[in-house]
Structures are given as C-alpha cells and as structure tokens.
Amino acid sequence: MTGDHQTLALVLFSVFIAVTLGITTWVSRNRHGSAEEFYAGGRLFSPLENGFAIAGDYMSAASFLGISGLIALYGYDGMLYSVGFLVAWLVVLLLVAELVRNCGRFTLADVVAARMAERPVRIAAGTSSVAVSVLYLVAQMVGAGSLVALLLGGTSEAARSWTVIGVGALMVIYVSLGGMRATTWIQIVKAVLLMAGTIALTVLVLLRFHGDVNSLLSTAAERSGHGRDFLAPGLRYGGDWTSRLDFISLGIALVLGTAGLPHILSRFYTVPTARAARRSVVWSIGLIGSFYLMTIVLGFGAAALIGPAEVRASNASGNTAIPLLALDLGGGAGSTGGTVLFAVVAAIAFATILAVVAGITLASSASVAHDLYSSLRRRHAKRQYSEVTVARLAAAGIGAAAIGLGLLARDLNVAFLVGLAFAVAASANLPVLLYSLFWRKFTTRGAVWSVYGGLVPAVLLVLLSPVVSGGPESLFPGVDFHLFPLQNPGVVSIPLGFLAGWIGTVTSAEPPDEARHAETEVRALTGAGAA
C-alpha cells in the first residue's frame, strides 16, 4: 500500500480511537461504580439504542472481513456463514431474549442458578462463558492483524504483532474505565459507521454492474477459475463425506450458537424490561439482516472485480477481500478515490474490531467476577475485593490471553475462528439454558454435567482436529496429532451437551425443586420480580 493509504487510514484510526476514548473518559466521570452500572449500564438504554448496540456487538470482524473473504474464495459455500448468522437470531428472538431478561441480572449463570444450587452452577457456567469469549476474541485479534498487515504492505510481522497487542490494550482500557455504558455507546457508533460503509460499498458494486445481479454472479464465476461450480454448493464442503459432514456441523453451530454467546446474552440486561429486550432484538434483526445480505453482494463483488487469486495472494484466508474491493471501487491503486475509500473501509473495520472486543471482554470479565470469584472466594478472608474491582482485573488477564492466542492463530480465517466459538457456545451454554428455562425436572447435577459435557468435548475435538495439526493451514502445520476428522465439532459436541444434561438429571439423587421451577417460570413469562 502507498504512503497515502497508510497516512489517511492511520489518521482515521486515530480519530476513532480518540472519540471512543473520549466517550469512555466521559462515562467514567459520570458513573457511580455499582455492579449494575458496570455490568448493565444502569439498565437505562432504550430498545432502539440497545438494538443498535446488539447489532454492533454481533457484526464483528468475522462478518465484515471473514464472510466476504470466504464468499470471494469459495462462492456459494461461503454464504453459509451469512445465512447461519442471520437465521440464528430467530432462535434468540423466539426462545431466549425475553426469558433471559426476566430470569437473570448480569450473566448466563444467573438464569441457571435461579432454580439450582448456586456455587457449582456458577463455576461451570462462568468457566464456559470465559472459554467461549476467549475463542471469539482471538478471531477479532486475527482480523486486526490481517487488516494492518495489508495497510503496511504485508511486510512487517512486527507491526502486525504490535497491532494485536494495541487492540488488546485498548479493549482493557474501554472495559476497565467505562464498563457497559461506554461499551454500548462505542458499539452504537460502530454500528452506524459499519452500516453506512457497507451500504456505500454495496451500491458501488451494483453500479459497476449496472444493477444486474446476474452479470455480477456470472463474472464472479468466470474469474474464480471454477466456472458454474463457484455458484453451486460443494466447492469447499463437497469433496467427500468428511467435508459434507463439516458443512452440516458448521450450519448447526452457527444457528444454535448465538443464543449461547455470553456477550449477546448480557446485552438483554441493559434495558429496563423484558418487552424492551424483545423490541431490541427486533431492531437488531432488521440491521443484521440487511448487513448480511450486503456481505453476499460484497463477497461476490470481490470475486468478480478482484479475483480469488489476488485475494488469496494478499491473505491466504481471504480476510482482506473487502479492503481490496474498496481500493478497486474507488479507482484503483494510486487514485485519490481508491486511497480515500480504502482508508475509510480499513478504519471502519478497525472500529468494528475495537467495539466487538470491548463487548466480549466485558461479558467475560463479568463472568469471572460475578460467577467465578463470587463463588470461589472465602467468606471469612481478611481481604475481600469488590466484584467491579475483580472484573477490571479480569479484563486485563483475558486481554493478555486473547493477545497471545491471537498471535498464534494469525493465519486462520476470522469467520472460521468465530465458527469454532459458536460451536463451543452451542455445546456448553445453549443446552443448560434451554433445560433451565423449559424442563421442570432439571437438577443441579444435570446443569453441571450439561455445561462440562458440551464444553470439554468441544474444546478437546478442536484440539484434535485438522484446525490445530495435520495440514498446511493448521496452527501447527509441521506436526500431526489430529484424530478427529472434522474442523467444526458442533455435530458431535452439541448433542453431547444435551445428552449429558439429561443423563445428569435422570441419575441425580437430588429431587427437582418443583416450587422453584414454577417461580422461575412465572418470573420468565411475566417479569414479576425481575431485576
């Protein structure tokens, strides 16, 4: 990239960082330091504001950079991510949003612990939430590294590494100083910027083809080198039975995973009522649905105008397809329009990463403080720390872990990494959440077994899969200890999570607490007694 690209993009990066740090500083001066303020922003956001914030939280680097890159490289098969991410919101709207808002206060564990023995359930759910959050954070770190590597010409690994470290440091500052209120406003600003940028790029792509979608798809297929196969299923996931099963596994994980993501569930607590939570989801579905439809146009636009070969040459996983597309739409390398559009898109992508990592870090630090610390601390210890203090310290620790893993996984596609996080969330969090809300006979043992019965197999299968070893695109390409043939574990680990919860319940000596279930059911459906 030219010096003009670098200078303008870095100026726009700096402006966004300055604005968001200003928001964080302003909020930190006006907060009163309570747990409700830090975790839930005082529950003062309107459905519209929270809808934009949810959209900002959900439309991540995986969505903007990774999905479009996969479509540019694999055509139809890359669209699975767009469809899966969007359809998942129907599960959230119908089964989760309103009930979670009524039953909990700050975290997933609150919902489960409402009718179970608190300590074991909170430890299990807190551990799972942190594991999912760290996996999701790694994807954002990889996206940041890819973006800046492209900006700097892809020549400096040191700059790429320092970018990951810088993003990690900023997310710790946002969370530690501003809590949920600052994080929410950052996500709202980011959602507006991202939607505006995506609309502009989509319009430019369609104008290039005079509004003829058939011409766009035909050109993309022609430049792909695969012909009509580019527009049909099977290019990435159709080679053999393993890849077909991987396709099914990924689809299940994407559709079911959203309802188990800690940073999405925590957003339902920032509005005053369950009705407001449901309206928030309706607003967010409109924004998210429009966005994912546009990523399909952008993915095929990158294939048609840039070509999969050039996208792959810039970044093997396709993470830089959108910035390259912006450069071409603006007039090409060296043109003023190309320079400006590239810089704007790079800045929006960077804003996307910063906003999402702040939301995920806040949710995971809340799980550490509100669930793990509150359950494990000794009641009679000489020194007790407040939950908010522990959450701030946890943000720093989680940031450090995400930085380390982000540096390790920097060559993997960000959408693919998020697919793994969704699989773990659907395996460990969704079964216990649905059982707690809808199964009258569910017990504490069932809850604990459900979480670990999904979490442990999901993580273990990822470690033993081709993602980690055994292939040229693995984390450790030089070794081979993979035993599990699929890249996404969802098709195995999600049923195991549900099965473990059922076995734990039916073998439990503890009788189910019918009265507490009835109380929870009334609270979930009516909001009576909700925080």
Side-chain angles (χ1 to χ4, degrees), residues 351-382:
T352 295
I353 291 164
L354 286 179
V356 173
V357 297
I360 302 167
T361 305
L362 179 60
S364 52
S365 61
S367 291
V368 171
H370 186 62
D371 299 328
L372 298 178
Y373 175 72
S374 63
S375 298
L376 294 172
R377 68 182 172 186
R378 296 180 178 177
R379 304 295 177 188
H380 304 293
K382 292 181 180 179

Side-chain angles (χ1 to χ4, degrees), residues 471-512:
E473 297 179 354
S474 302
L475 280 180
F476 303 107
V479 294
D480 185 1
F481 52 84
H482 89 278
L483 300 173
F484 183 65
L486 306 183
Q487 293 189 331
N488 192 292
V491 72
V492 175
S493 58
I494 295 171
L496 285 178
F498 281 100
L499 180 63
W502 178 78
I503 292 174
T505 298
V506 298
T507 60
S508 175
E510 165 202 4

